[in-house]
Amino acid sequence: MLTNEKLNTIATKLSPERPIRSEQLLKGRERELVDIERELRHFHTIPFIYGDRGVGKTSLARTAAQIASNSDREHIYIPCAPGARMLHIFREIGEELLKQIFQDSAFQSICNKVEVELSLNPKIRSSFEKKAPKLDEFSDANAAVRTLKQLDNLLPLPDRTIIILDELEELNDSDRTHLAYFIKQIGDQEFSIKFILVGIAENVHELIGIHHSVPRYVKEISLLPLDAQYLIDIVENAATSIDVHVPRDTLFRIATVGNGFPHFAHLIGKAILIEAIDSDSSEITTSIYKAGVTRAVNDSTQELRISYEAATQRSADYFKHLVWALAHSDVVDIRIDEWLRLYSELAHTFHWHRAEEKKLRTAISNFSKESCGEIVTNTPSRYGSSEKRYRYKRYTNTLMRGHVRLQAENEGFTLGTQNFL
């Protein structure tokens, strides 16, 4: 296989920079994929996918939509930008539906239907007269629902049109209220168009608030980090496709760095296989792995790199070592006392100079500040409780644990306590 062919093959197997859209490449989500596909094809509740950043929510949503849509009809993907308003998102949905109507071969009969049935809707009539998918801003949620329902009635095979609303965590409280209302109306007014909702949260209520009617309209799909074997399978499958052998201990190390987040399997796998191709090697040797880890660090998300550097590039090493100690734990939330114990354990193992506890506690407090990249935050209250969990800490970005482990790996230290036996 030629070099360019190998690189193209890797690109089809490993994708740290964009979501997966292939059932064959979506590892470890078979049950959830079946549930979502079944709901989209046969039933009427709205799949609502939620979980931590980097667990594969968007990949699952887009793969399910790809399968359940007509082969000749692309699903509609709409991310909520920071500060996005729900009424603007409703308009964007409407304009995307108009695009599909204008592209459809039955366009002329649809135009006739507009003339006969929808002549009183100025928004839709104006778009058809100009043959341009443009809508004015909606004045309120009711106006949005009326127009979208009429477009639902116009669209050929609307039940095969799937709209993904992603990054719902970006909405503010008032816009989440609009979203909850819209979810209810999708059910009450019997929309045929299908929706998938996606967002970062520990439960659905974080994304749409507490609305007593909403739960019966949605099917909650909670995504947890994957088992280590799935991360191993991602890398091994890609390596096998270009006839490169990855030793088991290397696969274990990649799975340990990833800690259940497929993003890191894709990131490191891509990096080490590129190094293997450049070295014309059929095996991932120690030197190739080290070069790949360095490449993966450089290719990691800028947001993670900036936050990590702000927290660790200090005159004293204990700042970095504390950040590493938090990454050494396999759990999301950790008591400060346990964090300090892990630091002491690693300091003993790796022969670091051990800072005094007062300095360590001050550093932990500072990690939540902008000057330290806001790398750490307090663990939020448990759902249904007003308890403030000041004694518990977590990384602000859930992908940071993997990034820190990758940084440590690049310096020759393996973090994480996962046992593969």
Side-chain angles (χ1 to χ4, degrees):
M1 187 181 291
L2 298 175
T3 296
N4 286 339
E5 291 177 324
K6 290 180 179 180
L7 291 172
N8 288 335
T9 299
I10 292 174
T12 65
K13 301 286 186 180
L14 298 172
S15 180
E17 63 282 337
R18 60 176 59 182
I20 294 296
R21 296 179 62 174
S22 164
E23 183 177 2
Q24 290 72 31
L25 300 179
L26 192 70
K27 301 295 183 181
R29 302 300 185 196
E30 292 80 6
R31 180 181 60 80
E32 292 89 349
L33 186 61
V34 168
D35 284 348
I36 296 171
E37 182 190 354
R38 184 177 293 145
E39 203 63 44
L40 293 173
R41 287 188 183 278
H42 304 293
F43 302 107
H44 305 292
T45 57
I46 301 172
F48 204 135
I49 305 170
Y50 63 95
D52 289 332
R53 187 187 308 274
V55 293
K57 301 181 300 299
T58 302
S59 291
L60 175 61
R62 301 203 72 163
T63 301
Q66 191 83 6
I67 293 171
S69 298
N70 269 359
S71 59
D72 60 345
R73 179 171 293 186
E74 175 74 2
H75 62 267
I76 296 170
Y77 176 77
I78 299 178
C80 300
R85 305 309 306 268
M86 202 63 220
L87 292 180
H88 176 78
I89 293 169
F90 289 149
R91 185 184 72 170
E92 191 173 351
I93 293 171
E95 290 178 345
E96 290 295 329
L97 292 175
L98 281 166
K99 287 179 185 177
Q100 287 203 352
I101 290 173
F102 292 159
Q103 292 169 0
D104 198 278
S105 58
F107 176 67
Q108 188 54 53
S109 64
I110 296 171
C111 287
N112 295 336
K113 189 173 182 180
V114 171
E115 290 294 328
V116 173
E117 298 184 15
L118 299 176
S119 59
L120 297 180
N121 189 315
K123 289 183 181 294
I124 295 177
R125 184 180 181 86
S126 174
S127 291
F128 273 83
E129 288 173 347
K130 297 176 182 177
K131 294 186 178 179
K134 297 294 291 183
L135 295 172
D136 295 331
E137 290 284 358
F138 294 114
S139 57
D140 55 40
N142 279 322
V145 170
R146 282 196 301 271
T147 298
L148 294 180
K149 176 56 180 170
Q150 288 173 325
L151 291 172
D152 178 274
N153 292 336
L154 284 174
L155 193 67
L157 298 173
D159 59 330
R160 291 300 179 89
T161 297
I162 300 171
I163 300 171
I164 300 172
L165 288 183
D166 201 352
E167 301 178 27
L168 295 178
E169 69 278 359
E170 299 291 350
L171 299 177
N172 63 31
D173 289 343
S174 64
D175 288 301
R176 290 175 187 179
T177 300
H178 284 322
L179 175 61
Y181 174 76
F182 183 58
I183 291 170
K184 186 175 185 300
Q185 294 308 310
I186 290 171
D188 289 351
Q189 299 196 30
E190 299 182 358
F191 274 65
S192 296
I193 296 167
K194 304 293 185 177
F195 288 82
I196 302 176
L197 307 178
V198 184
I200 297 170
E202 293 188 354
N203 56 72
V204 167
H205 296 291
E206 286 185 26
L207 295 171
I208 55 176
I210 299 174
H211 191 296
H212 296 301
S213 299
V214 167
R216 67 189 177 96
Y217 294 96
V218 302
K219 180 177 181 61
E220 298 185 18
I221 309 289
S222 173
L223 290 196
L224 298 174
L226 293 171
D227 290 340
Q229 185 59 52
Y230 292 116
L231 272 63
I232 291 171
D233 291 344
I234 289 169
V235 177
E236 198 165 36
N237 177 57
T240 300
S241 69
I242 60 169
D243 298 319
V244 171
H245 173 67
V246 186
R248 295 300 288 174
D249 63 333
T250 300
L251 292 169
F252 292 162
R253 290 174 75 175
I254 293 171
T256 299
V257 170
N259 195 39
F261 289 82
H263 168 78
F264 290 101
H266 286 265
L267 178 68
I268 303 172
K270 175 184 174 184
I272 64 173
L273 292 180
I274 288 175
E275 291 293 335
I277 291 172
D278 288 347
S279 302
D280 194 25
S281 175
S282 61
E283 181 163 358
I284 302 299
T285 63
T286 299
S287 61
I288 287 176
Y289 175 71
K290 288 181 178 179
V293 167
T294 301
R295 179 188 290 270
V297 168
N298 293 331
D299 290 344
S300 191
T301 308
Q302 185 180 27
E303 175 189 356
L304 296 173
R305 287 191 283 111
I306 290 174
S307 179
Y308 175 81
E309 289 168 6
T312 61
Q313 290 188 355
R314 304 277 160 171
S315 58
D317 285 341
Y318 66 83
F319 287 91
K320 180 175 72 174
H321 294 159
L322 268 174
V323 171
W324 285 12
L326 183 57
H328 188 55
S329 172
D330 290 329
V331 299
V332 174
D333 299 301
I334 190 170
R335 282 178 62 97
I336 293 176
D337 290 345
E338 175 63 11
W339 186 354
L340 293 173
R341 187 195 67 76
L342 284 174
Y343 165 82
S344 296
E345 179 183 295
L346 291 178
H348 175 75
T349 301
F350 296 128
H351 308 291
W352 299 335
H353 171 73
R354 193 179 310 184
E356 60 186 69
E357 184 171 325
K358 183 178 179 180
K359 288 183 177 181
L360 297 175
R361 288 185 178 273
T362 299
I364 288 173
S365 177
N366 288 336
F367 283 147
S368 61
K369 297 178 180 179
E370 185 177 357
S371 60
C372 284
E374 298 175 321
I375 195 170
V376 169
T377 188
N378 289 329
T379 297
S381 303
R382 295 185 180 92
Y383 176 65
S385 169
S386 60
E387 172 195 11
K388 299 295 182 182
R389 305 180 72 188
Y390 296 113
R391 296 180 182 177
Y392 287 83
K393 301 288 184 178
R394 61 165 58 177
Y395 286 116
T396 304
N397 186 325
T398 51
L399 287 178
M400 184 59 76
R401 173 171 279 98
H403 180 77
V404 173
R405 289 183 177 185
L406 187 60
Q407 290 277 5
E409 192 86 359
N410 193 40
E411 295 188 37
F413 297 89
T414 298
L415 301 178
T417 58
Q418 202 158 30
N419 189 342
F420 295 96
L421 296 179

